[in-house]
Amino acid sequence: MHSSDRLRVLVLGGYGFFGGRLVRRLAQHANFEIWVAGRSLQRARDFIASLGEGAADLHAIALDTEDAAFTQNIRSLAPKVLVHTAGPFQGQDYHVAKACIEAGVYYIDLADGRDFVCRIDSLNEAAQRAGVCVYSGASSVPALSGAVVDELLAIMGPDFRLTHIDMGIHPANRTERGIATMASVLTYAGNPIRIWREGAWTTVPGWSKHWRHAYPKPVGARWTAPCDVPDLELFPARYAPVGTVRFGAGLELKTMHGGLALLAWLHRVGLLPNLARFAAALKWMSEIFIKQGTDDGGMYVSVFGTDMQGNKRQAHWHLIAEKGDGPYVPTLAAAALLARFARGETPPAGAGPCVGVLTVQEFKDTARGLAIRMRIARDS
């Protein structure tokens, strides 16, 4: 394929935990020209070398988002799309997205930070004037979770009256840990999370009030605790008049799940003022136990409600990731969006959360070749 026919994609954080997995998947396709970007040019080069022969055209580049020339560097490289994978996004501002808008570049990120994703529409007017789209949250939440809720509601039919959405994610213990993911969890552990419950806003402490969720084999039952994600803010309005929206996550090993709960409690009572500063140490400690547990993880979405006669109805979606492929799940939305771009499908200009954009089938298509399967069960 001629280089001019390839879609030029810049992956910021392209040799990192999620960025590297996204690049690894994209490298299999000849219709991409991929620039692997990060602060270290050598790490980008080494990562590309580790991929071996691939169909895509791969390049390494050093980019620092804090560089005063960052916007000009983006403009000079002139990618069609920039994918921002360098989290954690909690506490970040929108200077990368703004640089893309100024440079006329389409922007996608893998953010799961609630405020970051939910406030991205503040850039809507600027993105429309520039004629580019800005998608935030092209990840497990809210892109995949929202696509699943839409699918379940379509299956349940127009007579279904939604009352409750329940969602959760449970990674496998025998998978690599991402420092950004761990840091993002620690930002809300022990802090109040604003949730929509029984038709009103209330708060619950992060990583407390635990419950169990039963997955199909081989994952089985896992402990679950409240997490702060964009869905908690977006879904009450999107799926109104839903009464309750709940989201949780859990660690496979009870000792690690309980240990994090203890840290959350210590933070809540004021004995540990800043958990996020322990992210690197906790990552190191968790890796001591990496040979325990399994390499099987999962994600679930359930909807509950009634039919027109008042009979209770429910439907459940499960994703099971085996063989350590769970960390690829947060990259599927970005890969699906890029596949659209590569087909010449240009989204409308504007900025907003990546919810209601993709279908479950697109996620399934993007996951082909991975040990990831999805299935839906509903009441009769």
Side-chain angles (χ1 to χ4, degrees), residues 166 170 185 188-190 197 204-213 222-227 246-251 253-265 268 300:
D166 187 24
H170 295 81
V185 171
Y188 60 74
R197 185 168 62 193
V204 61
W207 214 266
S208 66
K209 310 287 184 181
H210 307 267
W211 67 93
R212 297 274 278 177
H213 180 79
R222 298 279 177 94
W223 282 106
T224 314
C227 293
R246 183 173 72 166
F247 192 96
L251 303 179
L253 300 184
K254 294 179 183 178
T255 52
M256 292 177 61
H257 186 94
L260 183 53
L262 174 60
L263 290 177
W265 179 81
R268 193 163 73 248
Y300 77 91

Side-chain angles (χ1 to χ4, degrees), residues 102-148:
E102 291 180 30
V105 173
Y106 290 83
Y107 168 92
I108 299 168
D109 69 44
L110 274 60
D112 62 1
R114 180 172 180 166
D115 288 342
F116 189 95
V117 174
C118 294
R119 310 292 174 257
I120 195 72
D121 57 6
S122 64
L123 304 180
N124 186 53
E125 290 186 8
Q128 288 180 337
R129 287 195 300 269
V132 298
C133 75
V134 171
Y135 284 135
S136 184
S139 188
S140 306
V141 293
L144 175 54
S145 52
V148 173

Side-chain angles (χ1 to χ4, degrees), residues 109-308:
D109 69 44
L110 274 60
D112 62 1
R114 180 172 180 166
D115 288 342
F116 189 95
V117 174
C118 294
R119 310 292 174 257
I120 195 72
D121 57 6
S122 64
L123 304 180
N124 186 53
E125 290 186 8
Q128 288 180 337
R129 287 195 300 269
V132 298
C133 75
V134 171
Y135 284 135
S136 184
S139 188
S140 306
V141 293
L144 175 54
S145 52
V148 173
V149 174
D150 290 345
E151 175 98 345
L152 293 178
L153 293 181
I155 289 172
M156 297 302 281
D159 293 338
F160 181 67
R161 298 294 179 262
L162 178 66
T163 61
H164 181 190
I165 302 173
D166 187 24
M167 302 166 285
I169 293 177
H170 295 81
N173 188 63
R174 291 186 189 175
T175 55
E176 183 185 357
R177 288 86 157 98
I179 185 68
T181 301
M182 188 162 290
S184 69
V185 171
L186 293 174
T187 62
Y188 60 74
N191 289 323
I193 297 174
R194 189 167 177 259
I195 64 169
W196 182 251
R197 185 168 62 193
E198 298 180 359
W201 289 105
T202 186
T203 60
V204 61
W207 214 266
S208 66
K209 310 287 184 181
H210 307 267
W211 67 93
R212 297 274 278 177
H213 180 79
Y215 284 92
K217 293 181 179 181
V219 177
R222 298 279 177 94
W223 282 106
T224 314
C227 293
D228 200 15
V229 294
D231 308 44
L232 296 175
E233 185 165 339
L234 296 172
F235 286 12
R238 177 172 173 79
Y239 301 109
V242 64
T244 297
V245 177
R246 183 173 72 166
F247 192 96
L251 303 179
E252 181 178 2
L253 300 184
K254 294 179 183 178
T255 52
M256 292 177 61
H257 186 94
L260 183 53
L262 174 60
L263 290 177
W265 179 81
L266 291 172
H267 174 68
R268 193 163 73 248
V269 299
L271 296 178
L272 287 177
N274 183 6
L275 292 183
R277 67 180 180 177
F278 299 112
L282 290 174
K283 179 179 182 295
W284 175 81
M285 290 176 63
S286 72
E287 288 172 348
I288 297 174
F289 303 96
I290 200 166
K291 293 185 178 180
Q292 298 182 31
T294 70
D295 58 7
D296 306 319
M299 176 176 174
Y300 77 91
V301 177
S302 297
V303 297
F304 302 85
T306 62
D307 60 20
M308 296 293 287

Side-chain angles (χ1 to χ4, degrees), residues 10-95:
L10 173 64
V11 182
L12 192 61
Y15 50 78
F17 185 76
F18 292 122
R21 285 171 169 79
L22 176 62
V23 170
R24 191 177 299 276
R25 297 289 289 170
L26 297 178
Q28 301 172 20
H29 303 282
N31 46 1
F32 292 113
E33 175 189 331
I34 306 168
W35 288 78
V36 178
R39 290 190 177 93
S40 171
L41 179 60
Q42 190 57 52
R43 288 186 66 186
R45 286 173 172 167
D46 290 345
F47 175 73
I48 289 174
S50 72
L51 298 179
E53 290 294 326
D57 187 9
L58 296 170
H59 305 272
I61 188 172
L63 277 180
D64 187 344
T65 61
E66 303 302 324
D67 192 328
F70 179 69
T71 302
Q72 182 55 46
N73 291 335
I74 299 298
R75 185 179 286 113
S76 298
L77 185 61
K80 180 71 173 180
V81 188
L82 180 147
V83 184
H84 186 4
T85 72
F89 290 88
Q90 288 84 348
Q92 283 196 39
D93 60 23
Y94 296 128
H95 71 280

